Amino acid sequence: GDSVTQMEGPVTLSEEAFLTINCTYTATGYPSLFWYVQYPGEGLQLLLKATKADDKGSNKGFEATYRKETTSFHLEKGSVQVSDSAVYFCALRGGSNYQLIWGAGTKLIIKP
Amino acid sequence: DTGVSQNPRHKITKRGQNVTFRCDPISEHNRLYWYRQTLGQGPEFLTYFQNEAQLEKSRLLSDRFSAERPKGSFSTLEIQRTEQGDSAMYLCASSRTGGEQPQHFGDGTRLSIL
């Protein structure tokens, strides 16, 4: 079945560092791909999405490109801030199902 | 857009008791989803409604679980004869119909079984 694999956390970086959180997927067909973020004490929020190969999703300085050839959707940000500390989830939605299939999440800790 | 609302935020109960959670979706969203999330894991799909019709149920949803969405508005998720393994965060999400409409999540109901 469909699945999503994320790099394990926690990922600890200093403020202004470059961020990459890896996400790879297994799916039949052409899934849509999402990154959600969960800040401490809050619910899941959609961060960005991409619906077809080579699409780039972006929001709040974060970017991710849908790479069909490597089945990847890595999350990047050029300069992280303390306020980016959160848990980041990669997810896919494929085929005729509307459910989201999720990775285990990656906790990001940004130190000042 | 007032967001997805879930009640209660926390529920503590003894093993064997029944519990019911409520989800109020964003008003113009006709799709509603329930997920379960345990510590350190991503959410797992439980069930999905389009309007009042329950269109899909996960194998995770045992006979002790039932979900309803009367009149296609709010939804309830009931767990009967709770077990220790039911302890988790129960998440509700809603979305519009069509294409790649994103799912909007509530803050969840945390269930603790004593």
Side-chain angles (χ1 to χ4, degrees):
Chain A
D2 295 355
S3 66
V4 174
T5 302
Q6 290 181 235
M7 65 190 290
E8 288 191 21
V11 173
T12 304
L13 296 172
S14 297
E15 209 166 16
E16 300 183 3
F18 184 87
L19 168 71
T20 300
I21 299 178
N22 290 338
C23 171
T24 57
Y25 67 90
T26 301
T28 54
Y30 304 95
S32 296
L33 301 172
F34 305 83
W35 277 100
Y36 279 79
V37 59
Q38 190 168 33
Y39 297 103
E42 299 185 15
L44 287 159
Q45 300 175 27
L46 178 66
L47 182 60
L48 54 84
K49 68 176 184 178
T51 59
K52 60 183 187 296
D54 300 325
D55 266 3
K56 177 185 283 188
S58 61
N59 186 25
K60 299 182 180 180
F62 290 89
E63 293 182 339
T65 302
Y66 188 159
R67 302 285 188 199
K68 191 172 186 305
E69 63 277 13
T70 54
T71 62
S72 65
F73 192 54
H74 304 323
L75 183 68
E76 296 182 338
K77 186 175 185 183
S79 177
V80 292
Q81 305 300 313
V82 172
S83 57
D84 294 326
S85 298
V87 181
Y88 292 80
F89 291 91
C90 184
L92 71 82
R93 184 172 65 208
S96 59
N97 295 326
Y98 294 104
Q99 61 172 290
L100 291 171
I101 307 296
W102 300 78
T106 302
K107 184 173 184 177
L108 175 65
I109 300 169
I110 307 299
K111 297 187 172 181
Chain B
D1 184 347
T2 57
V4 178
S5 176
Q6 290 189 247
N7 287 288
R9 290 295 305 273
H10 304 277
K11 179 70 177 179
I12 301 172
T13 191
K14 293 182 180 178
R15 184 163 50 98
Q17 297 295 304
N18 299 344
V19 294
T20 300
F21 311 140
R22 177 177 170 126
C23 171
D24 287 272
I26 294 171
S27 58
E28 63 268 27
H29 289 184
N30 57 4
R31 288 182 182 157
L32 187 146
Y33 314 78
W34 285 98
Y35 293 85
R36 181 172 69 187
Q37 185 179 20
T38 53
L39 197 62
Q41 299 298 317
E44 296 173 296
F45 171 77
L46 293 178
T47 190
Y48 152 63
F49 290 84
Q50 175 132 339
N51 299 314
E52 66 274 12
Q54 188 173 19
L55 297 186
E56 193 171 347
K57 291 170 62 172
S58 163
R59 285 170 292 180
L60 292 175
L61 216 64
S62 75
D63 291 344
R64 296 184 298 106
F65 288 70
S66 62
E68 296 182 341
R69 194 183 181 197
K71 303 179 183 178
S73 55
F74 71 92
S75 176
T76 58
L77 177 67
E78 181 183 15
I79 309 174
Q80 296 182 327
R81 304 181 304 281
T82 52
E83 301 174 356
Q84 289 285 349
D86 296 333
S87 295
M89 178 74 84
Y90 290 83
L91 300 170
C92 177
S94 69
S95 73
R96 298 176 189 272
T97 306
E100 299 306 331
Q101 296 297 326
Q103 296 180 21
H104 298 261
F105 283 79
D107 289 341
T109 294
R110 181 169 296 285
L111 174 64
S112 298
I113 307 298
L114 300 178

